[in-house]
């Protein structure tokens, strides 16, 4: 008998279809999560703990079968017969236990969960209750409910740092890392900071919040005690005695007050557009040696999809008018076109054209497509593309010339 194609007698997809009707949590191929607990982290931040299914654990990449600090999950949530996709940051790391406040909401912490679970059988995200999906997950989703999920992904990780990585065994000068967060932007920082400290970095956290109950306050204190290389500043914008350099919000004085070698410091920032705009404005006022630009040291995770104002003086304000001038975007496969002076995704929607998208903030990658020609600019990093064929995200790029997309 010759060797050749041997079709599966029973496809995994068919088994999944039958199995999902018998046990919704079971699947060969689809990562799924089951809600087991909720925790109040602050006045406006709630953590959700999920049990992971076999497909989720099997698809985790790497020898540690975990994830990197700063990564996120894409969740597919069914609400009133309609699936909604959202991205949420992961708390902590797979092999390190999380600390929790004693206060919980809803059922007890182990509602539906197994005790003494091995690492990475449970996973936790933090959500600010706002919007349709977040409100459903934090207030209305029943314990034991099952949702589809991606495996952890995202590039807001230590691997993106351009500063020399320091390990415990290295002899060279340690790298300095500054983590800046506002509001729910603190969510990915716990895993990032823990991983950075384990790798021997000098770490500083600067966190801004409007609430009395600051998330992870006890955790930051414990990390500070365990790691002399960790310092933190928790700023409650409603309390002047917590201000840094006497400033309520992030400013150049705030950055300088940290007494860091900024030229050699990698900055990770996550929060609202107002926070990120303040950071870029402050960075522009910092003078570094050898014509270095502090902005080049900044890596951001973004909330929202409004076009941030990165203009620092009148000349650049004039340049922005040129950047947001209208250009024509051609969709080659659909034989459609539209004018764009904002992000490609928003401009398409303004023209009545539906494009695939998810989070609208450059995280989930669902809007990624191939650009055939033309130049686009990333609204968060300011990076300009080439004029040729490449992969881009429509939710975070604006057209700088006429653009052809392979859509």
């Amino acid at each position: 008998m010759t060797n050749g194609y041997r079709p599966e007698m029973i496809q995994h997809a068919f088994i999944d279809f039958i199995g999902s009707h018998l046990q919704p949590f079971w699947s060969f191929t689809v990562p799924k999560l089951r809600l087991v607990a909720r925790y109040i982290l602050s006045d406006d931040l709630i953590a959700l703990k999920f049990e992971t299914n076999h497909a989720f654990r099997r698809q985790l990449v790497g020898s540690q079968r975990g994830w990197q600090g700063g990564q996120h999950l894409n969740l597919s949530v069914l609400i009133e017969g309609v699936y909604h996709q959202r991205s949420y940051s992961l708390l902590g790391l797979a092999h390190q236990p999380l600390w929790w406040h004693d206060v919980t909401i809803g059922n007890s912490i182990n509602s539906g969960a197994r005790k003494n679970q091995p690492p990475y059988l449970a996973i936790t995200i933090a959500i600010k209750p706002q919007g349709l999906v977040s409100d459903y997950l934090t207030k209305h989703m029943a314990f034991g409910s099952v949702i589809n999920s991606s495996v952890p992904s995202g590039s807001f990780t230590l691997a993106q740092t351009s500063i020399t990585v320091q390990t415990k065994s290295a002899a060279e000068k340690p790298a300095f890392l500054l983590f800046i967060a506002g509001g729910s932007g603190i969510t990915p920082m716990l895993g990032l900071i823990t991983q950075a400290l384990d790798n021997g970095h000098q770490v500083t956290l600067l966190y801004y919040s409007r609430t009395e109950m600051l998330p992870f306050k006890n955790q930051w204190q414990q990390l500070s005690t365990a790691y002399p290389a960790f310092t933190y500043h928790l700023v409650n914008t409603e309390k002047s005695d917590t201000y840094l350099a006497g400033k309520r919000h992030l400013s150049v004085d705030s950055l300088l007050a940290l007494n860091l070698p900024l030229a050699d410091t990698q900055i990770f920032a996550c929060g609202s557009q107002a926070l990120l705009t303040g950071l870029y404005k402050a960075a522009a006022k910092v003078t570094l040696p050898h014509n270095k630009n502090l902005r080049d040291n900044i890596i951001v995770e973004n909330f929202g999809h409004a076009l941030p104002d990165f203009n620092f003086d009148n000349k650049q304000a004039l340049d922005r008018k040129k950047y947001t001038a209208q250009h024509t975007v051609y969709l080659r496969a659909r034989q459609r076109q539209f004018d764009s002076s904002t992000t490609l995704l928003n401009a398409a929607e303004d023209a009545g054209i539906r494009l695939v998208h998810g989070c609208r903030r450059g995280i989930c990658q669902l809007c990624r497509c191939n650009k055939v020609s033309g130049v686009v600019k990333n609204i968060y990093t300011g990076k300009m593309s080439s004029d040729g064929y490449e992969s881009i995200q429509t939710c975070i790029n604006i057209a700088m010339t006429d653009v052809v997309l392979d859509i």
Side-chain angles (χ1 to χ4, degrees):
M1 180 177 176
T2 59
N3 292 327
Y5 172 68
R6 296 182 180 179
E8 292 181 90
M9 296 301 294
I10 301 179
Q11 297 287 333
H12 281 174
F14 176 74
I15 297 176
D16 277 356
F17 176 78
I18 299 299
S20 65
H21 287 74
L22 300 175
Q23 172 51 264
F25 193 53
W26 185 88
S27 175
F28 265 130
T29 59
V30 180
K32 296 186 178 186
L33 304 177
R34 179 160 54 200
L35 180 64
V36 295
R38 292 188 180 100
Y39 307 87
I40 296 177
L41 299 181
S42 72
D43 295 339
D44 62 353
L45 197 63
I46 296 175
L48 276 65
K49 181 179 179 182
F50 294 93
E51 182 182 1
T52 62
N53 73 346
H54 174 74
F56 186 103
R57 299 191 294 271
R58 184 173 57 82
Q59 292 180 32
L60 285 179
V61 178
S63 59
Q64 297 300 313
R65 297 189 67 186
W67 56 87
Q68 297 295 308
Q71 291 191 309
H72 63 269
L73 291 177
N74 299 321
L75 304 184
S76 181
V77 184
L78 181 64
I79 303 176
E80 296 182 353
V82 178
Y83 279 100
H84 302 266
Q85 292 186 323
R86 295 292 187 273
S87 299
Y88 297 103
S89 296
L90 289 162
L91 284 182
L93 301 170
H95 295 272
Q96 296 183 347
L98 291 169
W99 303 275
W100 296 112
H101 295 283
D102 293 333
V103 180
T104 63
I105 63 175
N107 289 9
S108 64
I109 179 174
N110 289 317
S111 175
R114 300 188 188 98
K115 295 182 179 180
N116 302 319
Q117 288 181 326
Y120 56 76
L121 291 187
I123 199 165
T124 307
I125 62 175
I127 298 178
K128 186 175 183 179
Q130 59 179 10
L132 175 66
V133 178
S134 296
D135 188 68
Y136 173 76
L137 290 172
T138 56
K139 299 177 182 178
H140 305 293
M141 184 175 174
F143 288 101
S145 297
V146 175
I147 57 176
N148 290 350
S149 168
S150 70
V151 292
S153 62
S155 59
F156 189 63
T157 66
L158 296 183
Q160 300 302 309
T161 182
S162 59
I163 307 297
T164 302
V165 174
Q166 166 77 5
T167 62
K168 292 180 180 179
S169 61
E172 68 266 18
K173 178 181 176 182
F176 292 84
L177 300 179
L178 170 60
F179 297 88
I180 300 176
S184 55
I186 195 66
T187 305
M189 298 305 186
L190 183 58
L192 271 170
I193 289 174
T194 303
Q195 188 175 1
L197 290 170
D198 284 343
N199 289 343
H201 291 290
Q202 298 285 331
V203 176
T204 300
L205 169 66
L206 178 56
Y207 176 56
Y208 292 86
S209 176
R210 293 179 295 179
T211 65
E212 181 73 21
M213 184 177 176
L214 297 175
F216 313 128
K217 187 174 182 178
N218 293 336
Q219 289 88 312
W220 304 133
Q221 179 59 52
Q222 291 184 40
L223 286 175
S224 179
T225 301
Y227 297 92
F230 177 57
T231 59
Y232 64 97
H233 304 272
L234 307 179
V235 179
N236 183 336
T237 55
E238 304 301 320
K239 287 191 171 184
S240 59
D241 60 341
T242 66
Y243 295 171
L244 185 62
K247 304 294 183 180
R248 181 179 183 181
H249 298 294
L250 183 62
S251 67
V252 63
D253 293 334
S254 306
L255 291 178
L256 296 177
L258 297 172
N259 294 318
L260 293 172
L262 293 175
D264 300 315
T265 298
Q266 183 74 67
I267 301 174
F268 289 83
C270 185
S272 67
Q273 294 299 339
L275 176 78
L276 299 181
T277 298
L279 171 59
Y280 278 105
K281 287 183 176 180
K285 298 177 181 177
V286 175
T287 302
L288 299 181
H290 310 300
N291 295 320
K292 288 185 177 181
N293 190 333
L294 184 58
R295 180 170 173 171
D296 295 334
N297 292 4
I298 299 173
I299 298 172
V300 300
E301 185 81 295
N302 309 287
F303 292 144
H305 60 277
L307 199 65
D309 181 8
F310 290 154
N311 305 302
F312 309 123
D313 53 39
N314 290 334
K315 179 180 183 301
Q316 288 177 316
L318 293 174
D319 290 342
R320 188 173 189 270
K321 294 180 180 179
K322 176 181 65 177
Y323 290 165
T324 56
Q326 282 199 344
H327 297 286
T328 302
V329 179
Y330 300 89
L331 306 182
R332 186 169 67 174
R334 298 190 191 183
Q335 296 186 344
R336 297 284 302 276
Q337 69 182 60
F338 56 90
D339 292 331
S340 176
S341 59
T342 180
T343 63
L344 301 174
L345 176 59
N346 286 344
E349 291 176 338
D350 290 342
I353 301 173
R354 293 178 59 86
L355 299 181
V356 175
H357 68 276
C359 67
R360 306 184 73 100
R361 60 180 189 251
I363 296 175
C364 72
Q365 308 293 322
L366 288 177
C367 70
R368 184 169 291 280
C369 66
N370 291 322
K371 173 177 66 68
V372 179
S373 64
V375 177
V376 297
K377 178 183 178 181
N378 187 305
I379 63 174
Y380 295 128
T381 66
K383 182 179 180 181
M384 304 284 285
S385 75
S386 69
D387 190 31
Y389 194 92
E390 61 186 312
S391 178
I392 65 168
Q393 292 170 269
T394 60
C395 73
I396 58 172
N397 279 284
I398 58 175
M400 306 300 293
T401 66
D402 288 352
V403 172
V404 178
L405 301 179
D406 195 11
I407 297 177

